[in-house]
Amino acid sequence: MVFSTLEQQNLLEHKYVHWPRFSRGEDNRRVAVPPSREARCRFSPPSMGVAMSVADQLHAALQTFIALVAILNPVGAIPIFIALTSDETPPQRLATARLAARAVAIVLLVSAFLGEYILQFFGISIAAFQVAGGMVLMLLAFNMLQAKSSRYRHTPEEAAEGMQKEDVAVVPLAIPLLAGPGTMITVIIAHHKSSSWLSSGLLVLDILAIAGVAYVALRLSGPLSRRLGVTGINISTRIFGLVLASIAVTFIANGLAALFPALTHGFAGPGA
């Protein structure tokens, strides 16, 4: 068995005690004999590939969570929640917050694990979806930077209809105010990037965590609104908008790079 240069380098780096060993081939040439399976297991150091992979997946999960927090903007949703539940008692408002958080978790879980199949059914590539989704997130970010409520999340017509409904937990509070197009886009792309059960499990934890954040923000809407005031809520909305704009640029850049590889690798010249 003849080893390539890369394989020899890997074996030397792992310091196999049975390396080098040689034998004579049929043409009387010296060929390398690989170490036994037992020797590899006994003397090779633990591989760092798994640790690096786990670290990368944890980092990606953290990025997804930060993106979801920025898009969801739980602090910015407090004034709308207070307006929609103004005629409810404290226990009813607590129940509404709990039901809205559950609805957010269910919607995002369904979007994450079924969204890509829906895109495939319509023949939409994930790269094209990244570009379109990045544009939607950028529009949301522009409105957040101006401390405005985007029509892509919640229109005045939906707010007026919500004021007339007895139960506002699912619509319009959970959908589309909290679990709107931006959060759905983010979890679909995150699930597409997941390469193992660990990354998929971390995505589920991200969704459950963001639903918990939404519940805490809605439950503490009264104290937070009094503490922060309009100025504090607008400042936090602008900060989340800046983070969201950066995420949108990343989505668009990754999508364009996948659609047009020449943008990243350069155009080949005539003599290439």
Side-chain angles (χ1 to χ4, degrees):
M1 179 177 180
V2 180
F3 275 61
S4 66
T5 305
L6 180 59
E7 290 172 331
Q8 293 179 15
Q9 181 180 358
N10 291 337
L11 289 172
L12 287 173
E13 288 178 354
H14 282 75
K15 299 179 182 179
Y16 291 120
V17 296
H18 291 272
W19 176 267
R21 291 177 58 192
F22 299 92
S23 64
R24 295 289 179 179
E26 295 179 356
D27 56 353
N28 204 29
R29 294 177 59 188
R30 297 180 68 193
V31 295
V33 178
S36 65
R37 179 184 178 89
E38 293 77 9
R40 290 197 301 268
C41 296
R42 185 167 61 250
F43 296 102
S44 61
S47 174
M48 296 299 294
V50 175
M52 289 292 292
S53 176
V54 171
D56 291 341
Q57 292 177 46
L58 291 173
H59 183 258
L62 180 60
Q63 286 181 324
T64 301
F65 178 74
I66 294 174
L68 290 174
V69 171
I71 299 169
L72 188 110
N73 188 16
V75 177
I78 288 176
I80 301 176
F81 173 75
I82 293 176
L84 292 175
T85 59
S86 59
D87 58 342
E88 294 183 358
T89 63
Q92 290 175 335
R93 185 173 293 181
L94 182 61
T96 299
R98 187 182 300 112
L99 181 57
R102 291 176 181 174
V104 168
I106 293 173
V107 169
L108 294 185
L109 286 173
V110 172
S111 300
F113 291 94
L114 296 182
E116 191 171 355
Y117 296 103
I118 297 175
L119 294 178
Q120 292 175 359
F121 177 79
F122 288 103
I124 303 173
S125 67
I126 195 68
F129 186 71
Q130 279 183 305
V131 175
M135 292 179 178
V136 172
L137 295 182
M138 185 62 71
L139 291 174
L140 291 172
F142 283 152
N143 283 278
M144 292 174 66
L145 287 172
Q146 300 175 27
K148 294 181 179 179
S149 178
S150 174
R151 293 181 61 90
Y152 289 89
R153 289 186 59 184
H154 194 241
T155 65
E157 294 79 9
E158 291 169 341
E161 182 181 358
M163 295 294 292
Q164 299 174 0
K165 296 180 62 176
E166 294 184 0
D167 188 2
V168 298
V170 178
V171 179
L173 191 55
I175 308 169
L177 180 60
L178 296 176
T183 51
M184 295 179 188
I185 290 168
T186 303
V187 295
I188 291 174
I189 295 176
H191 182 260
H192 171 75
K193 293 180 180 179
S194 61
S195 57
S196 65
W197 287 104
L198 175 61
S199 55
S200 297
L202 290 174
L203 178 59
V204 172
L205 291 178
D206 280 339
I207 293 174
L208 296 179
I210 198 63
V213 170
Y215 171 71
V216 171
L218 297 181
R219 180 174 182 176
L220 301 178
S221 58
L224 288 176
S225 178
R226 290 191 296 270
R227 290 271 186 175
L228 296 176
V230 176
T231 302
I233 292 176
N234 289 343
I235 290 174
S236 66
T237 299
R238 290 187 175 98
I239 293 174
F240 285 138
L242 182 60
V243 175
L244 183 57
S246 304
I247 296 171
V249 171
T250 302
F251 279 7
I252 295 174
N254 291 338
L256 290 176
L259 289 173
F260 308 103
L263 293 175
T264 54
H265 298 290
F267 293 96

